[in-house]
Amino acid sequence: MQAFNPKLFLSTPGTGREMVSFRKGDVIFAQGDASDAVFVIQTGCVRHSAMTRNGKEATLDILGSSDFVGKDSIAGEPIRTTSANALTDCQLLRIENKVMMLTLSQEVEMANLVCAYVLARNLRYQKDLVDQRCNGSEMRLARLLLRLAHFEAPEPRETAIPIISQGILAQMVGTTRSRVSFFMNGFKHSGYIEYSLKSNEVRVRPSLLDFYAE
């Protein structure tokens, strides 16, 4: 009998697991929908957001490859407490809730992997909170760009990320669109990033790490 491989389980279709594609701007699920499946991003970027009772929307996170989307389904929530939209063309593995829960209960490696992922996310959200309390909006934007470009990796390198609207960046940083525009132009002028509307991507350079560390 072949040994269980959690990475293979989270990247290939099978019983209760279906590969689904979304175009840029598509709704993956909406707040209030039935919470019946969890998604694992294979390619592309997903915007994770929530709507308040008075109709104000907040961007909670930008998720990428190997991230889980819709974890509320395995946390016992009967309906979605957040929304997810495709920021780029995306491919995701949709895993039915009952299949995911059964696998978590039977496979220790899977349970450990998901536990480690959730703990890492919680630690990052703590750092986000400290960032919001202690750093100015320019530094918060720099950290966000570095995070989206995966510069927490052991060997940081110049990395391209899709262009994200300045309105969404402003929501995540906690400032205005005009301030984000000002800071992005400053980063570009200083050589920390490179972007153009034609390229449809932002190239984040390692020198932005030095700016954030100042």
Side-chain angles (χ1 to χ4, degrees):
M1 184 177 179
Q2 188 175 5
F4 178 80
N5 184 331
K7 292 185 178 180
L8 187 65
F9 178 87
L10 296 172
S11 61
T12 57
T15 302
R17 311 196 313 276
E18 177 188 8
M19 201 67 72
V20 290
S21 297
F22 296 91
R23 302 288 293 177
K24 180 180 179 180
D26 285 352
V27 175
I28 298 169
F29 58 77
Q31 193 169 330
D33 287 352
S35 185
D36 56 359
V38 64
F39 296 82
V40 184
I41 301 174
Q42 308 300 312
T43 60
C45 291
V46 171
R47 178 192 179 208
H48 188 211
S49 62
M51 188 81 71
T52 63
R53 291 182 179 181
N54 61 6
K56 188 175 182 179
E57 188 177 30
T59 298
L60 304 174
D61 209 346
I62 303 296
L63 303 171
S65 179
S66 299
D67 279 330
F68 290 90
V69 186
K71 297 188 296 297
D72 46 9
S73 68
I74 55 175
E77 295 289 346
I79 62 172
R80 299 290 186 190
T81 57
T82 58
S83 298
N85 300 76
L87 271 180
T88 64
D89 291 349
C90 296
Q91 188 174 55
L92 291 81
L93 183 69
R94 181 184 185 275
I95 306 175
E96 293 179 6
N97 189 44
K98 59 183 180 181
V99 172
M100 188 64 172
M101 296 303 293
L102 181 63
T103 305
L104 287 172
S105 68
Q106 293 181 342
E107 302 293 345
V108 175
E109 284 187 72
M110 174 63 76
N112 288 341
L113 185 152
V114 172
C115 182
Y117 176 86
V118 171
L119 288 173
R121 283 279 152 176
N122 285 344
L123 288 173
R124 206 200 75 199
Y125 293 148
Q126 288 180 21
K127 292 179 181 178
D128 289 346
L129 181 58
V130 171
D131 207 34
Q132 286 285 342
R133 295 293 183 90
C134 301
N135 289 327
S137 51
E138 185 178 25
M139 282 295 185
R140 296 199 300 270
L141 177 61
R143 179 172 178 266
L144 175 60
L145 293 174
L146 289 166
R147 179 168 62 75
L148 292 175
H150 302 291
F151 270 85
E152 68 273 18
E155 297 181 2
R157 60 187 183 279
E158 187 174 304
T159 306
I161 60 176
I163 285 183
I164 299 169
S165 80
Q166 293 181 350
I168 291 176
L169 292 176
Q171 285 184 11
M172 297 185 70
V173 170
T175 188
T176 63
R177 187 193 302 257
S178 61
R179 294 293 286 170
V180 166
S181 178
F182 177 79
F183 295 143
M184 291 290 283
N185 287 333
F187 291 161
K188 183 178 181 181
H189 179 75
S190 299
Y192 298 136
I193 63 173
E194 179 183 343
Y195 70 93
S196 68
L197 295 178
K198 290 183 180 180
S199 68
N200 201 36
E201 66 181 19
V202 177
R203 190 165 295 278
V204 181
R205 292 178 172 164
S207 56
L208 187 59
L209 279 168
D210 298 328
F211 169 79
Y212 182 71
E214 290 178 357

